Amino acid sequence: MRVLLVEDEPDLGKAIERTLKQEKYIVDWALDGNEAWEYLDSQWTQYTLAIFDWLLPGLSGLELLRRLRAKHSALPVLMLTAKDRMEDKVAGLDAGADDYLVKPFGMAELLARLRALQRRSPQIQPQQLQVGNLVLDCGNRTACHLDRHGKNQIISLTNKEFQLLEYFMKHPNQIVTTDQIRNQIWEASADTFSNVVAAQVRLLRRKLESVGCANLIETVHGVGYRMKN
């Protein structure tokens, strides 16, 4: 799941980013409202959640919300702010925020609120995905293959392998391009080498083949990949 974090306080931003990455989120972190809008204006559909600070250099969190909702985006947004007056909360919710968290706060509460937003969001994806005999549990972050004897074989995956498999399984029988994959599972600021997607697909294929799922992901030459259902 990809999150846009907009927070101008370096220490708080680093703490949130670290916490989210520990929970396997992909995080793009913007330090001001103008930078955040560059992300949102071009690729808001790629995010699962967004976290906006209220007071930001450039565009405020409130203005970001208004612009986002003007694009008819239903992206769930959690607003962070030191403003705790009822009028401020109402202003934030009326501008389009889905939830409101007052500083200072604990990371456990932040994560709980994000989980609640995911459950309520119309964009939420099923917690369990299945393609053939391959089952992915997005909540528990586990992958397994049902063998011919009816037993589940757990597939040990790295974080990136899991994210890649999840993306493929959400788009069965569809061609996904290399750029789509790179944009979906690597942070926008990541310094990736040119064949990083091909290398990651190769590693994932080996894991799948080890449990009898050979030829599940096919290469569409010159375009990208497709997972066969």
Side-chain angles (χ1 to χ4, degrees):
M1 289 172 288
R2 195 182 194 96
V3 177
L4 176 62
L5 169 64
V6 193
E7 172 56 64
D8 66 318
E9 297 180 33
D11 290 343
L12 179 57
K14 287 177 183 177
I16 295 174
E17 181 187 39
R18 182 171 58 251
T19 298
L20 293 178
K21 286 185 174 181
Q22 288 172 348
E23 294 298 314
K24 311 305 182 185
Y25 289 97
I26 301 167
V27 184
D28 290 333
W29 176 19
L31 288 163
D32 62 63
N34 292 327
E35 182 186 5
W37 184 245
E38 290 179 7
Y39 283 118
L40 291 170
D41 194 32
S42 62
Q43 54 183 340
W44 62 265
T45 57
Q46 296 182 17
Y47 293 106
T48 307
L49 297 164
I51 303 170
F52 294 170
D53 190 13
W54 183 303
L55 298 176
L56 294 165
L59 297 173
S60 69
L62 214 59
E63 181 59 27
L64 282 174
L65 269 172
R66 292 186 179 122
R67 289 192 179 191
L68 185 64
R69 298 310 181 216
K71 293 171 74 76
H72 306 292
S73 168
L75 178 68
V77 176
L78 174 64
M79 181 73 84
L80 306 180
T81 180
K83 296 175 178 288
D84 59 359
R85 297 186 309 160
M86 181 58 67
E87 306 94 292
D88 295 319
K89 293 181 180 180
V90 170
L93 294 171
D94 282 347
D98 296 277
D99 200 359
Y100 199 100
L101 190 55
V102 177
K103 299 176 181 179
F105 53 83
M107 292 300 166
E109 182 180 6
L110 173 71
L111 292 174
R113 288 178 181 260
L114 292 179
R115 290 193 295 268
L117 285 180
Q118 290 170 233
R119 289 193 296 270
R120 298 200 303 263
S121 170
Q123 297 180 335
I124 190 64
Q125 298 292 327
Q127 284 295 294
Q128 193 172 85
L129 302 169
Q130 183 166 0
V131 173
N133 290 332
L134 189 64
V135 178
L136 200 71
D137 190 318
C138 302
N140 294 327
R141 310 293 293 181
T142 58
C144 64
H145 175 253
L146 185 65
D147 67 19
R148 60 184 179 179
H149 302 295
K151 295 182 179 180
N152 282 330
Q153 296 177 281
I154 301 299
I155 308 170
S156 178
L157 300 175
T158 66
N159 186 36
K160 275 290 179 280
E161 288 167 352
F162 187 95
Q163 291 167 350
L164 180 58
L165 182 58
E166 180 182 20
Y167 188 61
F168 278 134
M169 293 180 70
K170 286 179 177 178
H171 302 85
N173 297 317
Q174 298 178 33
I175 296 175
V176 290
T177 69
T178 299
D179 285 343
Q180 285 175 319
I181 295 171
R182 183 184 291 109
N183 292 337
Q184 184 63 33
I185 69 172
W186 276 273
E187 289 82 2
S189 60
D191 184 16
T192 58
F193 51 93
S194 59
N195 65 337
V196 64
V197 173
Q200 197 67 65
V201 170
R202 186 164 56 250
L203 292 172
L204 177 59
R205 278 174 170 156
R206 289 176 185 170
K207 296 283 183 74
L208 296 178
E209 288 169 0
S210 71
V211 296
C213 291
N215 304 317
L216 192 61
I217 301 170
E218 65 177 357
T219 300
V220 182
H221 294 287
V223 182
Y225 303 90
R226 176 168 49 207
M227 171 169 272
K228 296 179 290 185
N229 192 348

Short mmCIF file of all heavy atoms in Angstrom, two decimals, residues 17 38 147:
data_model
loop_
_atom_site.label_atom_id
_atom_site.label_comp_id
_atom_site.label_asym_id
_atom_site.label_seq_id
_atom_site.Cartn_x
_atom_site.Cartn_y
_atom_site.Cartn_z
N GLU A 17 7.60 8.17 8.83
CA GLU A 17 8.06 7.39 7.68
C GLU A 17 8.64 6.05 8.14
O GLU A 17 8.34 5.00 7.55
CB GLU A 17 9.12 8.17 6.91
CG GLU A 17 9.63 7.44 5.67
CD GLU A 17 10.79 8.16 5.01
OE1 GLU A 17 11.66 8.69 5.74
OE2 GLU A 17 10.84 8.19 3.77
N GLU A 38 2.47 18.30 -6.47
CA GLU A 38 3.09 17.70 -7.66
C GLU A 38 2.85 16.19 -7.68
O GLU A 38 2.58 15.61 -8.73
CB GLU A 38 4.59 18.01 -7.67
CG GLU A 38 4.91 19.48 -7.94
CD GLU A 38 6.40 19.75 -7.93
OE1 GLU A 38 7.19 18.78 -7.85
OE2 GLU A 38 6.80 20.93 -8.00
N ASP A 147 -1.04 -27.26 -2.50
CA ASP A 147 -0.48 -28.30 -3.38
C ASP A 147 -1.53 -29.36 -3.72
O ASP A 147 -2.66 -29.32 -3.25
CB ASP A 147 0.78 -28.92 -2.75
CG ASP A 147 0.48 -29.73 -1.49
OD1 ASP A 147 -0.68 -30.12 -1.26
OD2 ASP A 147 1.43 -29.98 -0.72
#
